[in-house]
Each structure stands twice: as C-alpha cells, then as structure tokens.
Amino acid sequence: MGRLFWKFFLCILLAQVTATIGIGGTFWLKSRAAQQARAQEIDTSPPAQMAIEAATATLEAGGSKALRQFIGKLERMRVMAVDKQGRELMGRPVQPAVLAKARALLAQDQPRPVVREVTGGDGVRYLLFLPYSEHFRSAETTAARATLNAMSMAGERMPPAPRMDGPGQQTGMNKPPRLDSPYRTFIPIIAATVASLLFAFLLAWYFSRPIRDLRAAFEAASGGDLAPRFQAAARRGDELTDLGRDFDRMTGRLRCLMDSQTRLLHDVSHELRSPLARLQAAIGLAHQQPDKLAASMERIERESVRMDKLVGELLTLSRLEAGAVNPLNEDFCIADLLHDIVEDARFEAQADGRQIGITVSADADIASATVNGQPELLGRAVENVVRNAIKHSPDAGVVSVVLSRHDAGRQVHVTVLDHGPGVAEADLLTIFEPFFRASTTQKSTDGHGLGLAIAQHVLKGHGGAIVARNRSSGGLCVEISLPSRQPA
C-alpha cells in the first residue's frame, strides 16, 4: 500500500469516526439532558407507591427511629423524609425543585397518593416522597421485595394493585422510561466504527489502485515502453479510467511520432546519399577526364539544385508539422488561384507533349467562391498535386482539373484527374507520407516523395482534406476539399 492509499484511508476514516462521535455525542447529550430533567421528577410507579405505603406504616408505628432503619435497608430506592424545616431525616441533600414538586403533588387529589405528609408515633411530621432514580428500573424487583418485607414487619397488608383505565394504562401512574444499558449504547458505535474501517479501506483501495497503475505506466514510458495498458480497465467507467485511456492515446501518439521521426531520418539519409554519391562521381570524373569538365560541372550543378530543393521541402514539411504557420487571415478567390496554377503547369506540360485543362462547374457562384487562408501555401499544395499528375501521365496524356461546389456552397472541391498507371490499392492510404514511392515509380529519381505530404499538412491547417482513389478508366483521382465563404 502506498502513501496515497493511507492518506485516503485515514481521511475517510477520520471523517467516519468524526461523524460517529458527533452523532453519538448528540444522542448522549440529549439523553443526559432527559436524565437530568427526570432527576427532578417524583417517582409515581407502583413500586414507589408501595415504598411510600411501607414508609408511612413504619413511621406511624415506630416513629422517626424506625423510619430511619427502614430507609437504611433500602439499597437503591431513596425514600425522602423531609420535616417542616426542610431537613431530610437521613441528612441527604434535597433539591428545592424536587421538594416543590412533591408539595405541589401533595396538594392534588391523588387516588393512590405517592406523596404523603405523615405524623410519626413520636409526634414529628414528615413529607414522604420518592425522587426519580436512574437505577430504579434495574432494582425494581429487589426494591419491591424489600418493600413487601418491610410492610410485613410493620404489620401492614399489601396495597391493592393500581386500577387500570385501559389496556396497559395505570390511573395516576407515570411509568418511567426504560433506559438502555451501556453495552447497548456502545454496540452501535463499535459497529459503526468497524463499518467505517471497512468502507474506508475499500474506498481508499478503489482510488489508489489505478493511480499506482498509472505511476507504473509512467515509469515504463520513461524507459521507452509505450505499449497501451489501460484498454481493459474500461469497465470501471470513472474519471481515473478516462485518465488511463488518455494516457494510452498519448503514448500511442508518441510512439507514432517516434516511428515517424525514425523513418524520416532513414529516408532523408537515403535521399541525400544518392545525390551525394553522384556529386562525388562527377568530381572524380572531372579530375580524371579534364576534357569532360563541362559535363561534370553540369552534373554537379543539377545535383546541387536537387539537394537544395530537397532541403527546402524538408524545412517546409518540418514547419508544417510543428504548426509554425502564420494565422489564416486572408480571403481570396479559389478560382483565380486555380487558373494561375493551371497556366503555369500548362507551360511545363507542353514541353513534354502533355496537356492540362481546367473545368469549372455550371454553378453560378463557384467563380466567386472565396477561401480564407494563405494563398501561397494553398497554391503550393495544389501545385504539388497538379505537377505530380503531369509527371505520371503518359506522353500526350491529358490532365483535368475540375472546380465544383458542394454542401450547399460551404465546401469547394478541386479534383485532379490523370491517365497514368495509378497507385496500388494498398498504397492509397500511404501516398501522403513523406518519401513515399509507389511501386511504379521506385526507379524514378525525379522528386523526393514530399509533395503530397506537404499538401496534406497545408490542407489540414486550412480545415480541408485530401483523398486519392484509382479511376475505373485508369489513372489516379486526387480530390481536395476546402471550406468556402460565399459573398454576401
């Protein structure tokens, strides 16, 4: 068990114990107040009545001395005998409130009096009553027996049973409430404490276990192990489970980024190795055959330009992946941008005997549709797709660029169609990765496989998308979608 478990456990246990003590203390104070209030009452139970009857008979027969002996034999029933000066026969203190209630009860017409004023055989007059005692209920049987014995010694007969006005009701009698024993008071507190311990343990274990698992996952991730660990914990369905799933997604993303960086480093090394080898070969040829210096310098210049282009594309891709682009704050006409790109591409395509054309849908608003973003980046992305289509088209082939509107004018689509060899179905999802080369272009040295990757990052940054599919008539279809703004 870790430190967090014990913190949870002790905090929950402290809260439970505090609540138990608070509730128990409240009931104890309430019971204590009730006991103090009852302590100022006069006992009117049948045993108390019998005790008063016995004390009366004893006082009348034997005087104060006999009454003192009688009271001394009663262990728990405190029969009080108070004279006119307020002094108690046994020298015990008498509460003024109890004495006042006894005198008030004496003034009432009691069918079976429990408070009596009796003159003894020695001429002394005493007020006899029995205050309510906390131990009365537990000693009721013993007191009754002692009273009967005292009455037998005094030669008195036992008083008749009190009259019952109804089922379970006694006339003129107030039956004192039955008090629980201390054991019955402490048993619920002990049971509540044990239950608190159990629930505190279970709750602390419930919270600390996934946190320990998460800590172990962080330690494994710091060592390079990025495998998912919380997929099977979905049945818990709480925030800690969501945290575990987020951790799995984070490690999955990190694993993809690390794999991507490793693959990118490998591909960059491979792409740079070929032009560097050709540069070294051209330099060696220039040294060995000075008469071919011009051809060697031309080769060196061409390879230098190719390496410069590769480095530029890598920097652009790196900036796009890092999100280091300017805010999208310019509205421009997508149709005008597309016409400029097609015109530039047509000049290059005619040199190789290929043709390129643009088709605009019949929608009247498509020519005025605007897109918010950076026209230079978007133009470069579309140009990469168009140049890629021209490069893979056969001699005298035709490349078509179609501009259309979709989704009630909220989307514009730019579709680039060619008649080349197409792409294998298994490669359609990977052609937008850096340095990807289709199986039909593995031997080509023209290009580095970064154009479509750059285009995908640019379009994602503008809220668009790019997809590719093979045409049924042959060739590749690349479709670009962008959010559009319609003129007011």
Side-chain angles (χ1 to χ4, degrees):
M1 302 298 178
R3 292 169 293 176
L4 185 62
F5 171 84
W6 290 112
K7 288 181 181 179
F8 272 121
F9 180 80
L10 292 177
C11 289
I12 297 170
L13 178 61
L14 181 61
Q16 294 285 350
V17 172
T18 303
T20 302
I21 293 176
I23 296 173
T26 302
F27 281 104
W28 182 84
L29 291 175
K30 185 177 179 180
S31 175
R32 186 66 178 174
Q35 291 176 1
Q36 291 177 355
R38 288 194 297 268
Q40 299 179 356
E41 297 291 336
I42 303 299
D43 195 346
T44 60
S45 62
Q49 179 183 335
M50 290 188 293
I52 296 299
E53 292 280 356
T56 300
T58 303
L59 181 60
E60 290 177 346
S64 302
K65 184 177 180 181
L67 181 61
R68 183 179 286 107
Q69 294 177 352
F70 171 76
I71 295 176
K73 293 181 180 180
L74 299 178
E75 296 178 356
R76 298 187 180 181
M77 297 182 68
R78 298 176 59 201
V79 177
M80 308 296 290
V82 182
D83 58 14
K84 291 184 178 181
Q85 289 75 27
R87 292 174 297 183
E88 205 273 328
L89 177 63
M90 305 296 290
R92 296 170 295 186
V94 182
Q95 297 184 16
V98 177
L99 185 59
K101 288 185 178 181
R103 289 173 177 171
L105 192 60
L106 179 65
Q108 299 177 2
D109 185 14
Q110 306 176 59
R112 305 294 299 179
V114 293
V115 179
R116 295 186 182 186
E117 194 170 20
V118 183
T119 301
D122 53 0
V124 181
R125 192 171 183 84
Y126 288 97
L127 180 66
L128 302 178
F129 61 91
L130 186 63
Y132 180 81
S133 175
E134 294 293 336
H135 304 285
F136 172 73
R137 298 303 297 175
S138 62
E140 182 175 331
T141 304
T142 303
R145 291 176 180 176
T147 303
L148 292 175
N149 293 333
M151 291 179 66
S152 299
M153 293 172 59
E156 291 287 323
R157 61 186 179 88
M158 187 178 69
R163 181 173 57 88
M164 305 296 290
D165 292 341
Q169 298 179 354
Q170 299 176 359
T171 303
M173 301 296 176
N174 293 328
K175 187 178 181 180
R178 182 177 182 273
L179 298 178
D180 291 333
S181 66
Y183 297 103
R184 295 185 179 180
T185 302
F186 287 110
I187 286 176
I189 297 178
I190 295 174
T193 304
V194 173
S196 300
L197 285 170
L198 178 60
F199 282 105
F201 178 86
L202 293 177
L203 194 58
W205 176 82
Y206 180 83
F207 280 112
S208 62
R209 180 182 177 183
I211 296 177
R212 291 197 308 270
D213 294 341
L214 191 62
R215 178 187 176 188
F218 272 107
E219 291 180 354
S222 64
D225 184 6
L226 300 178
R229 288 174 170 79
F230 299 95
Q231 294 178 352
R235 60 181 181 274
R236 288 173 59 98
D238 53 18
E239 286 76 4
L240 292 175
T241 304
D242 296 338
L243 180 61
R245 286 197 294 264
D246 292 340
F247 178 82
D248 282 346
R249 284 194 292 268
M250 179 191 71
T251 55
R253 179 61 178 165
L254 287 175
R255 186 169 62 253
C256 291
L257 289 176
M258 292 175 62
D259 293 343
S260 177
Q261 293 296 324
T262 303
R263 185 171 60 254
L264 180 62
L265 181 61
H266 175 270
D267 292 339
V268 169
S269 301
H270 177 74
E271 291 293 331
L272 288 176
R273 181 179 300 172
S274 297
L276 284 175
R278 288 190 291 270
L279 279 175
Q280 293 175 356
I283 293 173
L285 184 63
H287 284 296
Q288 296 175 4
Q289 299 179 2
D291 56 329
K292 297 182 178 180
L293 181 61
S296 299
M297 293 300 297
E298 182 180 355
R299 167 62 69 176
I300 292 173
E301 182 180 5
R302 186 163 61 250
E303 297 299 335
S304 299
V305 171
R306 183 172 295 168
M307 291 181 63
D308 180 71
K309 182 180 179 181
L310 172 61
V311 173
E313 290 181 345
L314 286 173
L315 290 175
T316 301
L317 182 62
S318 177
R319 291 177 61 247
L320 291 173
E321 288 181 344
V325 294
N326 296 326
L328 310 177
N329 56 4
E330 182 178 351
D331 291 340
F332 57 92
C333 179
I334 185 65
D336 294 342
L337 177 67
L338 196 58
H339 278 94
D340 294 340
I341 294 173
V342 170
E343 287 299 324
D344 293 339
R346 180 176 289 118
F347 178 78
E348 180 181 351
Q350 288 177 351
D352 297 328
R354 300 181 178 93
Q355 299 180 5
I356 182 172
I358 183 171
T359 303
V360 179
S361 65
D363 195 328
D365 295 332
I366 188 62
S368 59
T370 59
V371 174
N372 180 263
Q374 300 182 46
E376 293 183 359
L377 281 178
L378 275 177
R380 184 169 183 178
V382 177
E383 183 180 9
N384 286 341
V385 177
V386 172
R387 290 173 60 88
N388 190 68
I390 294 174
K391 181 177 64 175
H392 293 93
S393 293
D395 295 340
V398 178
V399 175
S400 301
V401 179
V402 181
L403 178 63
S404 58
R405 189 180 71 163
H406 296 266
D407 195 14
R410 290 187 291 269
Q411 292 278 334
V412 292
H413 287 195
V414 179
T415 306
V416 181
L417 308 170
D418 63 50
H419 296 276
V423 178
E425 293 293 334
D427 296 337
L428 287 176
L429 298 178
T430 57
I431 62 174
F432 299 102
E433 294 181 0
F435 297 105
F436 172 79
R437 295 290 183 88
S439 57
T440 55
T441 59
Q442 288 291 337
K443 297 181 180 180
S444 175
T445 59
D446 188 12
H448 306 93
L450 294 174
L452 292 181
I454 293 175
Q456 185 184 51
H457 282 286
V458 171
L459 290 169
K460 283 185 177 180
H462 286 75
I466 180 171
V467 294
R469 63 178 183 273
N470 288 314
R471 302 175 62 188
S472 58
S473 58
L476 189 68
C477 171
V478 180
E479 188 172 16
I480 297 172
S481 60
L482 286 168
S484 173
R485 292 188 177 183
Q486 295 297 323

